[in-house]
Amino acid sequence: MTNAEGLKMMTRDARKLSPEALEEIRRRAVAAVESGASQSDVARLLGVSRKTVGAWVRAFRRSGEDSFRARTRGRRPGEQLALSTRQQEWTIRAITRGTPDSHGLRAQLWSRQAVSDLVHREFQVLLSPATVGQYLARWGLIDEALLKDMMRTRIATVLPQWRATNAEPQWWIPEGKVAWIIWIRPHTPPPGHSAHKRNLMNGFRNHFGDVNVLQAISHRGVVLFHAQLGPFDAHQAGRFMIRLGHQLNAPLNAIVCHWPTEHSAILKEWSAPHEHRIALHPSTG
């Protein structure tokens, strides 16, 4: 059994483990890093921060085996708590069952901050946006690497042509903000993208159901998303676009980077300038 496989079996809920089991997790985590695994991958698997794994590795290199032994101490003020398995499952189901405002939050679409606010309200656990981002990636609900890759590709192929000639396309709203949009099913990633990544969706696809996610990244790198069970229809996709414009607080130039071909008719309905000041440009090639 590899160190990574051992970690998967041992970290169902680290908060319920004995000091001896926690010691073994630290031992295996360090062994995985020393064997070539990245600290980020080990941290994602454990649901802790990369800094925590880095601290374990540095302590081992400084003190050897003594660094693994459990020490009794109080919790440091402000220390972040990892979510239990049950808390993670509850949060995933809450996200897929409605938008933040349907859960009594102010935001219209999910973001790192909105998820952090939900978790803090429900479990009195304070998670930084960076830690929430790790959880969302671990759960498979967002893929920031894919979003940023597609954004960079479209910036290189869509925008410079008319900016260089001062000739704006008819669909462009000059005063609008730009967002790049993808529609994914986390348990079946787009061909050629993230197919090697394991997450809770592709690991337990029958448990959470057919989760579909509309994700957007703004020109400032802010990621917003909406998740639900089953595919989006034209009305639901349209509501996402409208909410995105509202949350960005500006007219919207939406560049669609990935969209299921079987639902391409939805894009045609939004191809003309829209009453909500949304200009949609399919760029899925």
Side-chain angles (χ1 to χ4, degrees):
M1 178 184 296
T2 66
N3 289 316
E5 290 169 342
L7 284 172
K8 287 181 181 178
M9 294 180 62
M10 296 180 65
T11 55
R12 301 290 183 185
D13 186 351
R15 293 165 63 192
K16 296 180 181 178
L17 297 178
S18 66
E20 293 75 20
L22 289 171
E23 177 181 330
E24 185 62 22
I25 284 178
R26 287 191 287 270
R27 190 185 306 276
R28 287 181 179 269
V30 170
V33 172
E34 294 290 289
S35 299
S38 72
Q39 293 183 10
S40 296
D41 287 343
V42 174
R44 187 178 301 113
L45 182 63
L46 293 174
V48 299
S49 71
R50 183 181 59 81
K51 289 183 178 180
T52 297
V53 176
W56 293 345
V57 173
R58 288 192 300 275
F60 169 73
R61 292 173 179 172
R62 183 176 58 248
S63 307
E65 290 290 317
D66 286 343
S67 67
F68 297 132
R69 297 193 177 92
R71 295 174 176 82
T72 25
R73 63 166 178 85
R75 190 171 296 279
R76 291 189 297 266
E79 185 177 42
Q80 296 172 354
L81 302 175
L83 296 177
S84 69
T85 301
R86 182 172 298 178
Q87 289 170 334
Q88 291 186 56
E89 180 171 350
W90 184 94
T91 305
I92 292 170
R93 295 197 183 281
I95 291 171
T96 59
R97 287 174 179 169
T99 52
D101 50 352
S102 72
H103 292 285
L105 303 173
R106 294 182 62 182
Q108 297 194 39
L109 293 174
W110 290 109
S111 64
R112 292 182 178 194
Q113 187 59 56
V115 175
S116 177
D117 291 343
L118 178 71
V119 167
H120 187 236
R121 187 189 70 188
E122 295 298 322
F123 306 121
Q124 293 73 55
V125 174
L126 184 60
L127 299 177
S128 70
T131 302
V132 171
Q134 293 175 2
Y135 274 116
L136 291 172
R138 185 168 181 255
W139 299 337
L141 287 175
I142 63 172
D143 190 336
E144 290 195 41
L146 173 60
L147 272 170
K148 291 177 180 177
D149 177 61
M150 290 191 166
M151 179 181 72
R152 283 191 294 266
T153 301
R154 270 54 182 193
I155 287 175
T157 58
V158 175
L159 301 182
Q161 299 175 359
W162 62 266
R163 283 185 174 168
T165 60
N166 252 354
E168 295 176 357
Q170 291 184 351
W171 57 269
W172 193 260
I173 302 176
E175 70 277 19
K177 291 183 179 178
V178 183
W180 289 262
I181 297 170
I182 62 175
W183 172 349
I184 66 168
R185 298 170 68 204
H187 49 274
T188 54
H193 293 278
S194 307
H196 64 288
K197 292 182 179 178
R198 296 286 292 175
N199 57 56
L200 291 187
M201 295 299 163
N202 60 34
F204 302 94
R205 66 181 66 185
N206 295 327
H207 183 65
F208 290 101
D210 181 23
V211 176
N212 287 249
V213 188
L214 282 170
Q215 304 177 32
I217 184 169
S218 75
H219 67 296
R220 295 185 179 274
V222 176
V223 175
L224 302 166
F225 69 98
H226 174 54
Q228 68 174 36
L229 296 179
F232 299 94
D233 58 27
H235 175 73
Q236 292 164 336
R239 289 299 303 166
F240 172 79
M241 303 288 186
I242 294 170
R243 284 172 172 266
L244 181 59
H246 288 168
Q247 192 140 335
L248 295 178
N249 195 30
L252 178 65
N253 292 301
I255 301 176
V256 179
C257 302
H258 177 78
W259 199 270
T261 54
E262 63 270 26
H263 300 291
S264 58
I266 294 175
L267 296 179
K268 295 178 182 178
E269 297 184 25
W270 285 75
S271 59
H274 198 269
E275 61 177 322
H276 292 281
R277 299 288 284 157
I278 298 171
L280 186 145
H281 177 66
S283 176
T284 56

